[in-house]
Amino acid sequence: MHCNHSTQTLNESTGEILVDQTQSGKERDWKGKKERSQLTAEHFDLAGLTSKAERMNECADTLVFKKTPEALKLYQSWFCKVRLCPMCNWRRSLKIAYHNKKIVETVNERQKVRWLFLTLTVKNTDSESLSETISDMFKGFNRLSKYKAFKTSIKGFFRALEVTRDRDEYITKKRYDNNPAYYKRKGLEIGSENPNYGTYHPHFHVLLCVPTSYFKKKNYYITQDEWTTLWKRAMKLDYSPVVNVKKVKPKENLEDVKTYEDDFKRAIKEQNAVLEVSKYPVKDTDVIKGSEVTDENIETVKALDAALSYKRLIGYGGLLKEIHKELNLGDAEDGDLINISEEDEVANGVFEVVAKWHPGMKNYVVY
Ligand SMILES: [Zn+2]
């Protein structure tokens, strides 16, 4: 593929390898993300998507940090913003996690609510129909959110569209054991050819905010069967789609919550569980399987790029949308990927650290 900006000799550099740690001492994996981005860029190039490949290849080539006594803070860099870029998606995920933490904290401070996870799926589709299926799903979700039952019971939501691909050529034991009844019904055994091999699975992960009375009042509560019926109607399907709804289970074993009152403790634990869905819904391991260039990976890149470009994969509704706006959180998908949280804003005049990607060393070197 093309030019490397960073072929300067190491003479100008300090020869030091970049180490960027969070305040709790966890290392930020710039090198790992950059390598995945370059691998993805290689696939883009081979898929004929050359201009995106070039952009992705240059993504975050140079990182300028401000150094404070506590940590390094990213100050300048250029991000390619390609939907499938692992580097950009890492930054997007950090930003979404920060946004959702703020939003959920704000809601929990102001009122007593409960949180639910809802998964909405449709049948798997091939690469040709993927784009259309996704558009239908956005329309379907829109319809769903306007139904009376939804409007009565749901205070707000965060939704993320994820697309995975079925990569198992044969039915594995693990898959079979997950849902033996399904495979028996289809006449499939462990080791049978997987009829869904190579198909795509678009689905929504939705975080729902409901009033505490949701579980107590009959006209508020929506059962899993009712969710299925609503989604089927919204999507105008002639089959019953797989829908799953569950309460957010508070995450236990949080040491720092021991001192809090029970109600508050529960809210904090719930917040931690909520953050698990607060990621950018494109996993780079779903796009590129393994660490080699393969035809299957190139095919996946082509299909996902065509289906996901220019689409907004995440969205907020109701109370969560209002608070997102009120807190002035900005766009995590196409917006600034340098400053991802308030804590990132640093005063001018602190010492700068410049790190450049060195293709030969496959690492960031400090200049
Ligand atoms: Zn990028």
Side-chain angles (χ1 to χ4, degrees):
M1 205 159 40
H2 88 125
C3 59
N4 282 312
H5 296 298
S6 1
T7 37
Q8 300 109 310
T9 55
L10 278 171
N11 293 343
E12 301 165 36
S13 81
T14 61
E16 247 176 82
I17 299 296
L18 170 71
V19 180
D20 177 21
Q21 289 182 335
T22 64
Q23 292 202 16
S24 57
K26 209 180 142 213
E27 188 164 351
R28 292 195 181 96
D29 187 21
W30 288 100
K31 171 186 154 71
K33 298 299 168 190
K34 181 69 185 164
E35 283 181 322
R36 290 298 290 180
S37 276
Q38 294 209 306
L39 180 67
T40 309
E42 216 178 322
H43 284 86
F44 267 74
D45 194 42
L46 292 163
L49 301 158
T50 45
S51 91
K52 279 181 186 168
E54 281 176 24
R55 276 163 61 200
M56 205 187 288
N57 206 40
E58 288 170 21
C59 184
D61 257 350
T62 302
L63 305 170
V64 183
F65 298 92
K66 295 269 182 179
K67 193 173 184 175
T68 71
E70 300 82 40
L72 292 179
K73 306 214 163 164
L74 187 65
Y75 172 64
Q76 280 176 345
S77 191
W78 180 81
F79 293 101
C80 73
K81 311 263 174 89
V82 175
R83 277 283 177 276
L84 303 184
C85 173
M87 174 65 82
C88 290
N89 290 344
W90 174 49
R91 304 297 295 173
R92 287 176 176 128
S93 285
L94 293 172
K95 196 164 173 175
I96 293 165
Y98 173 75
H99 285 180
N100 285 5
K101 181 174 182 280
K102 282 288 195 194
I103 293 169
V104 170
E105 271 171 10
T106 306
V107 174
N108 282 341
E109 265 165 34
R110 291 182 186 172
Q111 46 188 300
K112 277 195 174 182
V113 294
R114 289 287 175 268
W115 300 92
L116 308 176
F117 290 139
L118 173 69
T119 313
L120 302 168
T121 77
V122 294
K123 271 186 186 165
N124 283 22
T125 161
D126 57 17
S127 58
E128 288 76 38
S129 322
L130 182 58
S131 199
E132 201 191 332
T133 306
I134 290 173
S135 299
D136 289 346
M137 287 175 75
F138 283 128
K139 283 181 210 145
F141 189 87
N142 216 4
R143 264 180 230 123
L144 174 74
S145 69
K146 293 200 170 95
Y147 289 157
K148 192 168 167 250
F150 193 102
K151 284 167 95 176
T152 311
S153 306
I154 310 301
K155 281 173 165 284
F157 64 83
F158 165 75
R159 63 129 188 83
L161 177 94
E162 184 174 6
V163 183
T164 52
R165 188 178 188 199
D166 193 332
R167 306 270 199 150
D168 291 333
E169 228 175 316
Y170 303 98
I171 305 298
T172 61
K173 183 173 186 306
K174 197 178 157 201
R175 281 179 84 122
Y176 189 89
D177 291 347
N178 250 336
N179 197 350
Y182 168 83
Y183 289 106
K184 259 178 214 154
R185 204 162 59 234
K186 298 235 160 192
L188 298 166
E189 298 166 3
I190 298 167
S192 299
E193 272 185 32
N194 175 12
N196 279 329
Y197 174 57
T199 59
Y200 294 86
H201 178 56
H203 54 283
F204 281 121
H205 293 290
V206 193
L207 174 68
L208 298 171
C209 173
V210 297
T212 46
S213 50
Y214 179 83
F215 297 101
K216 291 167 204 148
K217 285 192 189 156
K218 230 183 150 215
N219 51 344
Y220 274 13
Y221 188 70
I222 304 173
T223 64
Q224 176 147 317
D225 282 348
E226 282 159 355
W227 277 116
T228 307
T229 308
L230 291 171
W231 181 234
K232 182 179 175 179
R233 173 150 72 98
M235 285 298 296
K236 303 177 178 170
L237 301 172
D238 59 1
Y239 61 90
S240 281
V242 176
V243 168
N244 185 279
V245 64
K246 59 182 183 196
K247 255 193 259 186
V248 171
K249 285 214 188 76
K251 262 181 96 182
E252 297 297 332
N253 303 325
L254 287 168
E255 284 174 22
D256 55 342
V257 295
K258 283 194 185 107
T259 51
Y260 294 106
E261 296 299 314
D262 272 357
D263 254 2
F264 194 49
K265 198 154 72 178
R266 164 198 260 274
I268 288 184
K269 285 177 182 173
E270 275 189 343
Q271 263 160 236
N272 274 280
V274 159
L275 290 180
E276 288 186 354
V277 288
S278 304
K279 288 182 235 155
Y280 197 63
V282 181
K283 285 193 211 95
D284 70 281
T285 45
D286 274 336
V287 183
I288 308 290
K289 195 180 164 194
S291 49
E292 304 289 325
V293 177
T294 66
D295 288 345
E296 193 190 278
N297 284 339
I298 296 171
E299 232 179 71
T300 314
V301 159
K302 260 192 208 168
L304 291 181
D305 179 74
L308 302 182
S309 293
Y310 311 110
K311 289 200 175 94
R312 303 195 57 85
L313 306 189
I314 59 158
Y316 297 88
L319 180 63
L320 273 56
K321 188 177 183 175
E322 284 162 29
I323 291 177
H324 186 281
K325 204 173 166 196
E326 182 191 318
L327 299 177
N328 204 10
L329 293 173
D331 182 355
E333 214 164 1
D334 294 318
D336 172 15
L337 294 179
I338 294 173
N339 300 301
I340 44 187
S341 69
E342 282 162 10
E343 291 87 63
D344 280 345
E345 282 157 31
V346 239
N348 292 326
V350 261
F351 187 61
E352 271 186 12
V353 172
V354 180
K356 288 184 182 172
W357 179 249
H358 192 278
M361 293 176 70
K362 289 210 177 299
N363 216 327
Y364 283 98
V365 179
V366 178
Y367 279 72

